[in-house]
Amino acid sequence: MNSKPKIVILGAGYGGLMTASQLTKELGYNEADITLVNKHEYHYQTTWLHEPAAGTMHHDRARMPIDYILDLKKVNFVQDSVVEIKREDKKVILENGEVDYDYLVVALGSEAETFGVPGVHEHAFSKWTVNGVREVKEHIEYQFAQYHNREEGRDELLTFVVAGAGFTGIEFVGELTERVPELCKEFDIPREKVKMYVIEAAPTALPGFDPELVEYAMDLLESRGVEFKIDCPIKEVIEDGVILNNGEEIKSETVVWATGVRGNSVIEKSGFEAMRGRIKVESDLRAPGHDDIFIVGDCALIINEEINRPYPPTAQIALQQAGTCASNIKALVKGGELKAFTPDIKGTVASLGGKEAIGVVGKKKLFGTSASMMKKVIDNRSLYLLGGMSLVVKKGKKPF
Ligand code: FAD
């Protein structure tokens, strides 16, 4: 009989992959069986997906085979989709089988939050995955290709609506502003025909960012043709556009949804108590009432005590949680104290497309090219943390 504890990790994003990688360093081959389950045979850099969505980067650059990162002699990799976690039976139901665990790490990432707005799933692009953004890119190009060949509704072909002026919406529209001139040239379309809207329900764009940085970002994007509608909730997404709470209707065949995320639907389906699909974890990252289940990344809810509000879900936090999670699993397997997780926020940088970005690193505000260079350094750092220098060499971005 196999007496080694079975550690099962669900999701090969930042949180799951980093947990697996750390565990292979923390535990010897004879000390545990480690299994990683993921929908695809590759990992993708979710934080880069605004680029392939707009078509400024090929999607293959943002994804990489799992074995670029993990030694698959040390980790049993199962390519399958998680359907449900059966907590009482210590078992995970997959689309094509099931897997038993002694310790489980849930790192399945997030899904779009619609805030109850009707029509999002039916008429908007809301999947921030490799396949999701591939569809966005193809769709945008097709709008340009159709323009001269369709009699009716030509304006909505070239009207692009981004719902949400948070991190993802701003980074996406920044890339789109870079791509549009190229597409106009390619498809013989005057630049002024293209309209780009960013619609935000909150009273400011980039909530939580320093107002000076927000102003810089908005001025820059406006100068590239973006129209902001702030403090302006969307009431409904319809087949050919959006209806705003104030009654205004914007006709568009492309609505990209980026209003925030909720935890993976597997969480609620499995009966965990959750807030917007995220589990408010104990300080050691375990799900309340479950000594054997850890939650990391976007599925975990942790509170910033200073402001008594949840930390926004980020790759930065997911990567850090993975370290604590691996070390706590090691403590359970080999004996030792479990550690509490404390985020160490090093800063936040949002790209605005091209060589432009804004952000804060430490206490320093960054604008323009210096912020853009820092963004690439951060992107490369996440590669380094996941897969060391060899991954940076294979997939890294040039800072200049
Ligand atoms: P993910 O990295 O999303 O990984 C989840 C994994 O689970 C994926 O591989 C997925 O395929 C897999 N999966 C999902 N469902 C199933 C299933 N049912 N069965 C099997 N596998 C499944 N954060 C930052 O810190 N900095 C940034 O600059 C930044 N920029 C961003 C830009 C964009 C465009 C987006 C969309 C997000 C950005 N974020 C950023 C947020 C960051 O990407 C997430 O917080 C981070 O990816 C969360 O990591 P995770 O491990 O929880 O999930």
Side-chain angles (χ1 to χ4, degrees):
M1 198 184 99
N2 185 356
S3 60
K4 286 193 277 184
K6 286 183 272 202
I7 303 169
V8 174
I9 301 161
L10 308 179
Y14 295 96
L17 206 47
M18 189 71 177
T19 304
S21 160
Q22 287 297 313
L23 278 171
T24 60
K25 292 173 192 144
E26 306 258 6
L27 293 172
Y29 176 73
N30 295 320
E31 290 173 314
D33 278 333
I34 305 170
T35 298
L36 174 67
V37 182
N38 195 53
K39 214 179 247 185
H40 309 106
E41 78 280 16
Y42 54 83
H43 159 77
Y44 52 82
Q45 296 285 95
T46 312
T47 57
W48 298 9
L49 289 179
H50 51 289
E51 296 178 62
T56 51
M57 172 198 276
H58 192 277
H59 60 267
D60 277 340
R61 280 217 53 210
R63 65 175 169 175
M64 52 216 72
I66 304 276
D67 67 2
Y68 271 26
I69 296 166
L70 285 182
D71 181 348
L72 294 184
K73 290 196 281 306
K74 295 182 180 166
V75 176
N76 170 33
F77 177 65
V78 177
Q79 188 190 338
D80 209 335
S81 282
V82 176
V83 176
E84 193 180 346
I85 300 159
K86 296 273 187 199
R87 296 171 286 157
E88 301 307 319
D89 305 330
K90 289 170 89 71
K91 181 180 284 191
V92 180
I93 309 297
L94 308 176
E95 239 168 53
N96 303 296
E98 54 184 50
V99 52
D100 296 335
Y101 63 83
D102 294 304
Y103 300 109
L104 183 68
V105 180
V106 184
L108 291 167
S110 57
E111 294 171 9
E113 175 59 277
T114 67
F115 297 103
V117 174
V120 174
H121 293 304
E122 296 80 0
H123 307 302
F125 295 95
S126 63
K127 291 202 169 103
W128 292 95
T129 59
V130 168
N131 288 326
V133 301
R134 226 169 357 185
E135 190 186 1
V136 175
K137 179 214 166 231
E138 295 293 331
H139 173 87
I140 292 171
E141 288 173 0
Y142 188 49
Q143 302 313 295
F144 280 83
Q146 284 185 87
Y147 184 75
H148 287 301
N149 305 309
R150 227 167 78 173
E151 285 300 314
E152 301 210 353
R154 289 196 301 182
D155 284 352
E156 50 256 46
L157 289 174
L158 297 181
T159 302
F160 299 93
V161 171
V162 178
F167 211 92
T168 303
I170 291 293
E171 289 203 315
F172 170 69
V173 85
E175 294 303 316
L176 188 62
T177 60
E178 283 288 296
R179 187 80 205 288
V180 159
E182 193 187 293
L183 289 169
C184 286
K185 202 162 168 215
E186 189 176 339
F187 292 98
D188 309 325
I189 291 168
R191 170 64 191 81
E192 60 278 10
K193 292 279 178 202
V194 179
K195 299 218 165 1
M196 290 172 277
Y197 292 95
V198 175
I199 304 176
E200 170 60 54
T204 169
L206 289 167
F209 265 75
D210 179 279
E212 201 186 351
L213 296 175
V214 176
E215 195 184 336
Y216 182 92
M218 287 179 74
D219 286 350
L220 180 95
L221 293 171
E222 279 169 347
S223 76
R224 293 186 191 156
V226 174
E227 190 175 322
F228 283 93
K229 287 185 178 287
I230 302 295
D231 209 358
C232 191
I234 293 174
K235 189 169 153 205
E236 189 176 352
V237 185
I238 53 176
E239 201 175 347
D240 56 351
V242 288
I243 302 173
L244 308 181
N245 267 8
N246 63 15
E248 190 186 344
E249 192 172 327
I250 299 175
K251 294 266 184 207
S252 164
E253 299 222 345
T254 314
V255 179
V256 175
W257 198 256
T259 62
V261 294
R262 53 188 294 114
N264 192 298
S265 49
V266 166
I267 297 280
E268 282 172 343
K269 193 170 175 204
S270 306
F272 286 98
E273 200 175 308
M275 291 154 78
R276 288 174 51 191
R278 303 173 73 196
I279 298 172
K280 188 161 178 282
V281 289
E282 304 289 2
S283 59
D284 58 17
L285 298 177
R286 286 188 285 187
H290 294 86
D291 286 350
D292 52 353
I293 303 182
F294 289 82
I295 316 289
V296 298
D298 288 1
C299 291
L301 180 78
I302 50 168
I303 301 291
N304 182 343
E305 303 292 350
E306 276 174 33
I307 53 170
N308 198 26
R309 296 200 50 174
Y311 277 99
T314 61
Q316 183 175 186
I317 288 183
L319 286 165
Q320 291 177 10
Q321 284 177 330
T324 304
C325 173
S327 131
N328 285 347
I329 291 178
K330 177 188 168 190
L332 290 172
V333 171
K334 293 177 61 160
E337 291 274 300
L338 271 69
K339 287 190 217 157
F341 174 71
T342 316
D344 173 18
I345 306 299
K346 307 217 179 287
T348 314
V349 182
S351 74
L352 303 172
K355 291 190 167 39
E356 286 282 353
I358 47 153
V360 176
V361 174
K363 290 204 167 7
K364 198 170 160 42
K365 286 191 234 176
L366 298 175
F367 302 84
T369 43
S370 57
S372 170
M373 275 161 58
M374 180 54 75
K375 178 80 180 172
K376 293 187 177 88
V377 169
I378 293 169
D379 286 346
N380 288 344
R381 182 174 178 271
S382 81
L383 290 175
Y384 180 76
L385 290 173
L386 284 170
M389 210 50 213
S390 69
L391 191 60
V392 181
V393 171
K394 283 179 189 136
K395 288 285 178 180
K397 293 183 176 177
K398 290 197 182 82
F400 309 101

